[in-house]
Amino acid sequence: MAGSCGLTAPPERDGRELAVWAVARMAAALAEDTAFEADVTCVERGGTSIVTVAGTSAAMREREGGDPGVAALFDPAALLCHIGSLSARHSTRIGRRCVELELVPHPVWAQGAEGPWTSPEAEAVRLALDTATGFLLEADTPWRDGEPSHYTVTSLATPDPVAPTSSTPPARTYGAGWALGRMAATLLEPAVLTAHVTLDADVSDLEASTSAPTSDRTWAVTVTGTDSVERQLVLGDDPDPHAPGAVRRLTELLTPARIVGHLRRVHVVPGSGGRSVQASVRPMRTFPMSAWAPDEEARCRFTVDPATGVLTEATTHLGADCLARYRVTGLSR
């Protein structure tokens, strides 16, 4: 894979670790610019067509309009926020090493998905992820009405991939792909954490909660706002999308994989050692929106904890105004 992503080669065995690697690879592609030319066969309800796509992955992310199924093949990070569960195994397509994924859309986070692959109306989703580029070489969704939605990359020309690099951030600098991959890995990593979070906001209307979340990734959070009063909440990756913004932002700190698919133009923050990234927000997103990326005019900055993937600091600006800034001032397992 491209060295800029900062990920190791995929695990040799099929299973959960390979699925974690796959979502990290999809996310890392968001920070890369890969030149390519591809032929795609599209089988949809309206029939079969063949298209040729050429350019770079960065230009593809900026493009609006066209076939959303084709766009998602070369910008798979957009699908991350809709994933519920995922299984993975090694495979090959068109002579290229890939990871075959069986995906179940998330019952809440995929409710607004309008794309052809991760809508909750899909009965099953099968993807083939090219390990070298992070592109999808195949995407297959048999719909509940029996009609197919099946796109296949029949040829793909790219520059020779660079040898994989270490998963440990280099001492000096590295691309934003590592931070995005670490954020995405929280999608499938169980964790039970305790945290103290300081908010630069008035949270006097934030009700304390100790209700048990149903997800495998949870934390007990002590929240301190501008009134210096501590409030305790127990949260997981199963929030009500209509919950208060403060609650949803705390949830996304815990599982920042839900943010990644809403971002574009991601860069490392200079002097951060590579653990902080800044990003803009992609247009034409679907509900539920990320609470940290609520508007396409927003500008975001995130700092990632390497051990847990939790965001230890998150800030969103809209113009000159700071919409939200949260800092994790204590974190333990």
Side-chain angles (χ1 to χ4, degrees), residues 79 81-84 103-115 118-121 258 286-288:
L79 306 179
C81 51
H82 299 146
I83 295 175
L103 183 156
V104 175
H106 193 282
V108 174
W109 293 102
Q111 283 182 358
E114 296 177 352
T118 53
S119 167
E121 295 302 314
R258 301 295 178 196
T286 57
F287 180 85

Side-chain angles (χ1 to χ4, degrees), residues 67-217:
D67 187 328
V70 172
L73 296 178
F74 305 102
D75 184 19
L79 306 179
L80 287 171
C81 51
H82 299 146
I83 295 175
S85 62
L86 198 68
S87 62
R89 66 183 184 90
H90 288 282
S91 186
T92 59
R93 294 290 191 282
I94 55 174
R96 301 176 70 99
R97 187 180 183 185
C98 70
V99 179
E100 190 170 306
L101 305 171
E102 296 285 344
L103 183 156
V104 175
H106 193 282
V108 174
W109 293 102
Q111 283 182 358
E114 296 177 352
W117 312 127
T118 53
S119 167
E121 295 302 314
E123 190 172 51
V125 181
R126 184 167 58 88
L127 308 173
L129 177 73
D130 180 47
T131 62
T133 62
F135 296 162
L136 299 179
L137 301 181
E138 186 175 5
D140 182 30
T141 299
W143 294 85
R144 297 184 189 279
D145 59 9
E147 293 291 333
S149 183
H150 189 183
Y151 285 22
T152 307
V153 175
T154 56
S155 69
L156 176 63
T158 62
D160 292 335
V162 180
T165 60
S166 169
S167 59
T168 302
R172 294 183 179 179
T173 183
Y174 62 104
W178 176 86
L180 289 171
R182 190 67 194 90
M183 291 168 66
T186 62
L187 189 72
L188 302 175
E189 290 180 333
V192 179
L193 306 171
T194 300
H196 192 288
V197 183
T198 301
L199 286 62
D200 294 346
D202 179 5
V203 290
S204 58
D205 59 347
L206 187 64
E207 295 183 3
S209 171
T210 57
S211 59
T214 59
S215 65
D216 293 330
R217 189 172 180 88

